[in-house]
């Protein structure tokens, strides 16, 4: 009986080393399968694709035509990049110029995360 337990213990140690390699193989197989899933395109959320009408303050930056929120965000970022409104030291912060200040609620500097919340206040359904 003692020999069987010793054999099991010895086998368990060796098996543990083999299992570690098997885990790595399974992990890489999971990564490979994730890559295959990404081939199918995700359907965009219909709420983001619904055209929204920007108010006068926001239309000075992105235009006055109704467009989806995603397009409004793209145009806002184009304006920020074109005019150098992104802070050079703190890249998450946006420095407001004369056109952006009314959109940002009168603030001179907002974070890019706060920016989307402030922009949503300037949108309404057409």
């Amino acid at each position: 009986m003692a020999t069987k337990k010793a054999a099991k213990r010895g086998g368990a140690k060796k098996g543990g080393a083999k299992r570690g390699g098997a885990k790595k193989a399974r992990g890489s197989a999971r990564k490979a399968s994730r890559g295959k899933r990404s081939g199918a395109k995700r359907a965009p959320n219909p709420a983001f694709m619904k055209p929204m009408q920007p108010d006068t303050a926001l239309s000075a930056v992105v235009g006055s035509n109704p467009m989806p929120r995603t397009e409004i965000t793209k145009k806002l970022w184009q304006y920020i990049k074109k005019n150098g409104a992104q802070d050079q030291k703190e890249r998450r912060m946006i420095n407001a110029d004369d056109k952006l200040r009314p959109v940002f609620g009168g603030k001179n500097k907002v974070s890019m995360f706060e920016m989307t919340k402030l922009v949503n206040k300037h949108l309404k359904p057409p």
Side-chain angles (χ1 to χ4, degrees):
M1 218 32 136
T3 56
K4 287 183 181 177
K5 285 184 183 177
K8 284 185 183 178
R9 283 188 202 139
K13 286 181 184 177
K14 289 180 185 176
K18 289 181 184 176
R19 284 190 203 126
K23 284 183 185 176
K24 287 181 185 177
R26 273 188 264 151
S28 62
R30 284 184 192 148
K31 288 179 186 174
S33 67
R34 282 186 203 151
K36 289 179 185 176
R37 271 190 270 156
S38 65
K41 287 194 172 188
R42 285 182 16 189
N45 187 340
F48 289 120
M49 300 313 290
K50 180 180 172 188
M52 300 294 281
Q53 178 66 46
D55 68 355
T56 54
L58 185 58
S59 64
V61 179
V62 299
S64 59
N65 295 333
M67 61 186 93
R69 291 174 197 260
T70 54
E71 286 298 315
I72 289 172
T73 305
K74 283 180 188 177
K75 289 191 179 218
L76 190 60
W77 272 107
Q78 285 174 353
Y79 179 85
I80 290 168
K81 297 283 186 183
K82 179 181 168 188
N83 294 306
Q86 193 172 10
D87 194 51
Q88 293 302 314
K89 290 182 181 176
E90 255 187 290
R91 304 288 291 171
R92 289 181 292 189
M93 300 303 284
I94 309 299
N95 298 321
D97 60 1
D98 294 333
K99 285 186 177 180
L100 288 175
R101 202 166 287 115
V103 176
F104 294 163
K107 296 181 180 180
N108 288 328
K109 189 183 264 194
V110 297
S111 73
M112 61 175 65
F113 306 108
E114 186 182 6
M115 177 184 73
T116 55
K117 183 171 74 171
L118 293 170
V119 167
N120 283 336
K121 293 179 182 177
H122 294 276
L123 298 173
K124 54 190 168 207

